CSV table of all heavy atoms in Angstrom, one decimal:
chain,number,residue,atom,x,y,z
A,1,ALA,N,97.2,117.1,107.6
A,1,ALA,CA,95.8,117.2,107.2
A,1,ALA,C,94.9,116.8,108.4
A,1,ALA,O,93.8,117.4,108.6
A,1,ALA,CB,95.6,116.2,106.1
A,2,THR,N,95.3,115.9,109.3
A,2,THR,CA,94.5,115.6,110.5
A,2,THR,C,94.5,116.7,111.4
A,2,THR,O,93.4,117.0,112.0
A,2,THR,CB,95.2,114.3,111.2
A,2,THR,OG1,95.1,113.2,110.3
A,2,THR,CG2,94.5,114.0,112.4
A,3,ARG,N,95.6,117.5,111.5
A,3,ARG,CA,95.6,118.7,112.3
A,3,ARG,C,94.6,119.7,111.8
A,3,ARG,O,94.0,120.5,112.5
A,3,ARG,CB,97.0,119.2,112.4
A,3,ARG,CG,97.2,120.3,113.4
A,3,ARG,CD,97.0,119.8,114.8
A,3,ARG,NE,97.3,120.7,115.8
A,3,ARG,CZ,98.4,121.0,116.4
A,3,ARG,NH1,99.5,120.4,116.1
A,3,ARG,NH2,98.4,121.9,117.3
A,4,ALA,N,94.6,119.8,110.4
A,4,ALA,CA,93.7,120.8,109.8
A,4,ALA,C,92.2,120.4,110.1
A,4,ALA,O,91.4,121.4,110.4
A,4,ALA,CB,93.8,120.8,108.3
A,5,VAL,N,91.8,119.2,110.1
A,5,VAL,CA,90.5,118.7,110.5
A,5,VAL,C,90.2,119.1,111.9
A,5,VAL,O,89.2,119.7,112.3
A,5,VAL,CB,90.3,117.2,110.3
A,5,VAL,CG1,89.0,116.7,110.9
A,5,VAL,CG2,90.4,116.8,108.8
A,6,GLU,N,91.2,118.8,112.8
A,6,GLU,CA,91.0,119.2,114.2
A,6,GLU,C,90.8,120.7,114.4
A,6,GLU,O,90.1,121.1,115.3
A,6,GLU,CB,92.3,118.7,115.1
A,6,GLU,CG,92.4,117.2,115.2
A,6,GLU,CD,93.7,116.7,115.6
A,6,GLU,OE1,94.7,117.6,115.8
A,6,GLU,OE2,93.9,115.5,115.8
A,7,ASN,N,91.4,121.5,113.6
A,7,ASN,CA,91.4,122.9,113.7
A,7,ASN,C,90.2,123.6,112.8
A,7,ASN,O,90.2,124.8,112.6
A,7,ASN,CB,92.7,123.6,113.3
A,7,ASN,CG,93.7,123.3,114.4
A,7,ASN,OD1,93.4,123.3,115.6
A,7,ASN,ND2,94.9,123.1,114.0
A,8,GLN,N,89.4,122.7,112.3
A,8,GLN,CA,88.2,123.1,111.6
A,8,GLN,C,88.4,123.9,110.3
A,8,GLN,O,87.6,124.8,110.0
A,8,GLN,CB,87.2,123.8,112.5
A,8,GLN,CG,86.8,123.1,113.7
A,8,GLN,CD,85.9,123.7,114.7
A,8,GLN,OE1,85.8,125.0,114.7
A,8,GLN,NE2,85.2,123.0,115.5
A,9,TRP,N,89.4,123.4,109.5
A,9,TRP,CA,89.5,123.9,108.2
A,9,TRP,C,88.5,123.2,107.3
A,9,TRP,O,88.3,122.0,107.4
A,9,TRP,CB,91.0,123.7,107.6
A,9,TRP,CG,91.9,124.7,108.3
A,9,TRP,CD1,92.5,124.5,109.5
A,9,TRP,CD2,92.4,125.9,107.8
A,9,TRP,NE1,93.3,125.6,109.8
A,9,TRP,CE2,93.2,126.5,108.7
A,9,TRP,CE3,92.1,126.6,106.6
A,9,TRP,CZ2,93.9,127.7,108.6
A,9,TRP,CZ3,92.7,127.8,106.5
A,9,TRP,CH2,93.6,128.4,107.4
A,10,ALA,N,88.0,123.9,106.3
A,10,ALA,CA,87.0,123.3,105.4
A,10,ALA,C,87.7,122.6,104.2
A,10,ALA,O,87.2,121.5,103.7
A,10,ALA,CB,86.0,124.3,104.8
A,11,GLY,N,88.9,123.1,103.8
A,11,GLY,CA,89.5,122.5,102.7
A,11,GLY,C,90.9,123.0,102.5
A,11,GLY,O,91.4,124.0,103.1
A,12,ILE,N,91.7,122.3,101.6
A,12,ILE,CA,93.0,122.6,101.3
A,12,ILE,C,93.2,122.3,99.8
A,12,ILE,O,92.8,121.2,99.3
A,12,ILE,CB,94.0,121.7,102.1
A,12,ILE,CG1,93.8,121.8,103.6
A,12,ILE,CG2,95.5,122.1,101.7
A,12,ILE,CD1,94.4,120.7,104.4
A,13,VAL,N,93.7,123.3,99.1
A,13,VAL,CA,94.0,123.1,97.6
A,13,VAL,C,95.5,123.4,97.4
A,13,VAL,O,95.9,124.5,97.7
A,13,VAL,CB,93.1,124.1,96.7
A,13,VAL,CG1,93.4,123.9,95.3
A,13,VAL,CG2,91.6,123.8,97.0
A,14,ILE,N,96.2,122.4,97.0
A,14,ILE,CA,97.6,122.4,96.8
A,14,ILE,C,98.0,122.4,95.3
A,14,ILE,O,97.7,121.4,94.7
A,14,ILE,CB,98.3,121.2,97.5
A,14,ILE,CG1,97.9,121.2,98.9
A,14,ILE,CG2,99.8,121.3,97.3
A,14,ILE,CD1,98.8,121.8,100.0
A,15,TYR,N,98.6,123.4,94.8
A,15,TYR,CA,99.2,123.4,93.5
A,15,TYR,C,100.5,122.7,93.6
A,15,TYR,O,101.6,123.4,93.5
A,15,TYR,CB,99.3,124.8,92.9
A,15,TYR,CG,99.6,124.8,91.4
A,15,TYR,CD1,98.8,124.2,90.5
A,15,TYR,CD2,100.8,125.5,91.0
A,15,TYR,CE1,99.2,124.1,89.1
A,15,TYR,CE2,101.1,125.5,89.6
A,15,TYR,CZ,100.3,124.8,88.7
A,15,TYR,OH,100.6,124.8,87.4
A,16,GLY,N,100.5,121.4,93.8
A,16,GLY,CA,101.6,120.6,94.1
A,16,GLY,C,101.1,119.2,94.5
A,16,GLY,O,100.0,118.9,94.2
A,17,CYS,N,101.9,118.4,95.2
A,17,CYS,CA,101.6,117.1,95.5
A,17,CYS,C,101.2,116.9,96.9
A,17,CYS,O,101.5,117.7,97.8
A,17,CYS,CB,102.8,116.2,95.2
A,17,CYS,SG,103.3,116.1,93.5
A,18,VAL,N,100.4,115.7,97.2
A,18,VAL,CA,100.1,115.3,98.5
A,18,VAL,C,100.6,113.9,98.7
A,18,VAL,O,101.0,113.2,97.7
A,18,VAL,CB,98.6,115.4,98.7
A,18,VAL,CG1,98.1,116.8,98.6
A,18,VAL,CG2,97.8,114.5,97.8
A,19,ARG,N,100.5,113.4,99.9
A,19,ARG,CA,100.9,112.0,100.2
A,19,ARG,C,100.0,111.4,101.2
A,19,ARG,O,99.2,112.1,101.8
A,19,ARG,CB,102.4,111.8,100.5
A,19,ARG,CG,102.8,112.4,101.8
A,19,ARG,CD,104.2,112.5,102.0
A,19,ARG,NE,104.6,112.2,103.4
A,19,ARG,CZ,105.7,111.6,103.8
A,19,ARG,NH1,106.6,111.2,102.9
A,19,ARG,NH2,105.9,111.4,105.1
A,20,ASP,N,100.1,110.1,101.5
A,20,ASP,CA,99.4,109.4,102.5
A,20,ASP,C,97.9,109.4,102.0
A,20,ASP,O,97.0,109.6,102.8
A,20,ASP,CB,99.5,110.0,103.9
A,20,ASP,CG,100.9,110.0,104.4
A,20,ASP,OD1,101.6,109.0,104.3
A,20,ASP,OD2,101.3,111.1,104.9
A,21,VAL,N,97.7,109.2,100.7
A,21,VAL,CA,96.4,109.3,100.2
A,21,VAL,C,95.3,108.3,100.7
A,21,VAL,O,94.1,108.7,100.7
A,21,VAL,CB,96.4,109.2,98.6
A,21,VAL,CG1,97.2,110.4,98.1
A,21,VAL,CG2,96.9,108.0,98.1
A,22,THR,N,95.7,107.2,101.1
A,22,THR,CA,94.8,106.2,101.7
A,22,THR,C,94.1,106.8,103.0
A,22,THR,O,92.9,106.7,103.2
A,22,THR,CB,95.5,104.8,102.0
A,22,THR,OG1,96.0,104.3,100.8
A,22,THR,CG2,94.5,103.9,102.6
A,23,ILE,N,95.0,107.5,103.8
A,23,ILE,CA,94.4,108.1,105.0
A,23,ILE,C,93.7,109.4,104.7
A,23,ILE,O,92.6,109.7,105.2
A,23,ILE,CB,95.6,108.4,106.0
A,23,ILE,CG1,96.2,107.0,106.5
A,23,ILE,CG2,95.1,109.2,107.2
A,23,ILE,CD1,97.4,107.1,107.2
A,24,LEU,N,94.2,110.2,103.7
A,24,LEU,CA,93.6,111.5,103.4
A,24,LEU,C,92.1,111.3,103.0
A,24,LEU,O,91.2,112.1,103.4
A,24,LEU,CB,94.3,112.2,102.3
A,24,LEU,CG,95.7,112.7,102.5
A,24,LEU,CD1,96.2,113.4,101.3
A,24,LEU,CD2,95.8,113.5,103.8
A,25,LYS,N,91.8,110.2,102.3
A,25,LYS,CA,90.4,110.0,101.8
A,25,LYS,C,89.5,109.7,103.0
A,25,LYS,O,88.3,109.7,102.8
A,25,LYS,CB,90.3,109.0,100.7
A,25,LYS,CG,90.7,107.7,101.0
A,25,LYS,CD,90.7,106.8,99.7
A,25,LYS,CE,91.2,105.4,100.0
A,25,LYS,NZ,91.2,104.6,98.8
A,26,THR,N,90.0,109.4,104.2
A,26,THR,CA,89.1,109.0,105.3
A,26,THR,C,88.9,110.3,106.1
A,26,THR,O,88.1,110.2,107.0
A,26,THR,CB,89.8,108.0,106.2
A,26,THR,OG1,90.9,108.5,106.9
A,26,THR,CG2,90.2,106.7,105.4
A,27,LEU,N,89.5,111.4,105.8
A,27,LEU,CA,89.4,112.6,106.7
A,27,LEU,C,88.2,113.5,106.2
A,27,LEU,O,88.0,113.6,105.0
A,27,LEU,CB,90.7,113.4,106.6
A,27,LEU,CG,91.9,112.7,107.2
A,27,LEU,CD1,93.1,113.5,107.0
A,27,LEU,CD2,91.8,112.3,108.6
A,28,SER,N,87.6,114.1,107.2
A,28,SER,CA,86.4,114.9,106.9
A,28,SER,C,86.8,116.3,106.5
A,28,SER,O,86.6,117.3,107.3
A,28,SER,CB,85.5,114.9,108.1
A,28,SER,OG,84.3,115.7,107.8
A,29,ILE,N,87.5,116.4,105.3
A,29,ILE,CA,88.0,117.7,104.8
A,29,ILE,C,88.1,117.6,103.3
A,29,ILE,O,88.4,116.5,102.8
A,29,ILE,CB,89.3,118.1,105.5
A,29,ILE,CG1,89.7,119.5,105.2
A,29,ILE,CG2,90.4,117.1,105.2
A,29,ILE,CD1,90.9,120.1,105.9
A,30,GLY,N,88.0,118.7,102.6
A,30,GLY,CA,88.2,118.7,101.2
A,30,GLY,C,89.7,118.9,101.0
A,30,GLY,O,90.3,119.8,101.6
């Protein structure tokens, strides 16, 4: 997800699970 922010993605929608949620909520990406 951090790499996605660096590469200027606006968002990610996963029909599945994510992890590291404490860090994910600090990232400037949907």
Side-chain angles (χ1 to χ4, degrees):
T2 298
R3 190 68 180 269
V5 172
E6 293 167 354
N7 289 323
Q8 300 180 342
W9 286 84
I12 307 161
V13 177
I14 305 262
Y15 189 60
C17 299
V18 301
R19 66 188 218 152
D20 304 311
V21 297
T22 302
I23 297 170
L24 294 183
K25 66 183 173 185
T26 69
L27 300 177
S28 183
I29 188 171

